[in-house]
Amino acid sequence: MMAVLFLVFVLVVVANAKSKLPKSDTNLLEFPLNLEYLEAEFFLYGSLGRGLDHIQPNLTGGGPPPIGARRANLTPLIRNIVAQFGYQEIGHIREIKSRIKGFKRPLLNLSAHSFATVMNQAFGRPLYPLFDPYINDINYLLSSYIIPYVGLTGYVGATPKLKNPLSRKLVAGLLAVESGQDAVFRSLLYERAMVRVIPYGITVAEFTDRISALRNKLGRGGIKDEGLVVTTNNIKNIGKMTGNILVGNRNSLAYGRTPKEILRIVYGSGKEQVPGGFYPRGANGTIARKYLKSKKD
């Protein structure tokens, strides 16, 4: 009997803790779950060949399994790094859902075709053969370049809008690890910047430049993204360095993006009301569904 009463007490405390957050904070905290689910599934499948349904099924909320995700052909070091990131994303989802109710995993399209579409958009022409993110280290790293940075700009953009100190503390912790992941991917790619991606004959650096340019175009929020190499006349590079291992504004502060900008990018449509890309049915949560609803109206 005492055990039952204690369990009820714990559940009440947790429920009260969640209910104390302002509604605006709750909406801003749940929105990043869309990106966290995307990263978790891509990293887990890419490194281990299985995702949340096998490793932490209680976190999916009964959402549909991702489309086309599979184990990548990675060397031991890259596989180990990606697996670590996958388990970090599990922790992120678990932590967010411990603070707010959240939502079920959205339908994610992690097929090779989905990533090939992004690359074709980035270059403004079809690459042949179609780009396959799962075929080797370089392709997988380039595909990973697409994901964490978008999420971290969302955390930067959300921070000043949060009202509760606990909300800001959570986002600060999430931002720190997401930034670290992005820095690792950029470092691994920077080491290979002048390597030409087979069979396209295009350097890794140019791939990153094109991907960043595409995200700036789709986001429609100005320059908030940069590849691994910049021109020497870039105003922030006082020392005339062309290397750009970390992204930042002229004072090397991180860029922030709004939910609208993020949806435009991850949908691949440039419009927050038009789903597609990695989210064929759209993202979940109050903010994302509001834009989808406005399209129907």
Side-chain angles (χ1 to χ4, degrees), residues 103-222:
F103 47 73
K104 66 182 181 179
R105 175 183 56 196
L107 178 64
L108 302 168
N109 185 352
L110 297 176
S111 66
H113 183 268
S114 183
F115 285 92
T117 299
V118 173
M119 296 305 183
N120 289 346
Q121 278 186 288
F123 283 92
R125 59 182 172 83
L127 295 182
Y128 183 81
L130 289 177
F131 183 88
D132 185 343
Y134 300 107
I135 200 168
N136 56 38
D137 281 356
I138 286 183
N139 283 29
Y140 192 85
L141 290 172
L142 285 169
S143 300
S144 298
Y145 177 88
I146 296 171
I147 302 173
Y149 181 71
V150 177
L152 79 85
T153 59
Y155 285 131
V156 174
T159 300
K161 299 177 182 178
L162 295 169
K163 300 175 181 178
N164 189 290
L166 293 177
S167 300
R168 292 194 292 272
K169 181 180 178 181
L170 171 60
V171 167
L174 293 164
L175 174 59
V177 175
E178 293 291 331
S179 299
Q181 291 178 357
D182 182 63
V184 170
F185 283 131
R186 289 184 72 94
S187 297
L188 291 168
L189 288 167
Y190 190 75
E191 186 179 18
R192 300 160 171 79
M194 294 301 110
V195 172
R196 294 190 179 275
V197 181
I198 299 172
Y200 310 109
I202 302 168
T203 65
V204 166
E206 184 173 350
F207 264 90
T208 64
D209 289 345
R210 296 279 190 149
I211 293 167
S212 288
L214 174 64
R215 290 191 296 212
N216 284 326
K217 177 182 177 182
L218 292 174
R220 305 192 342 248

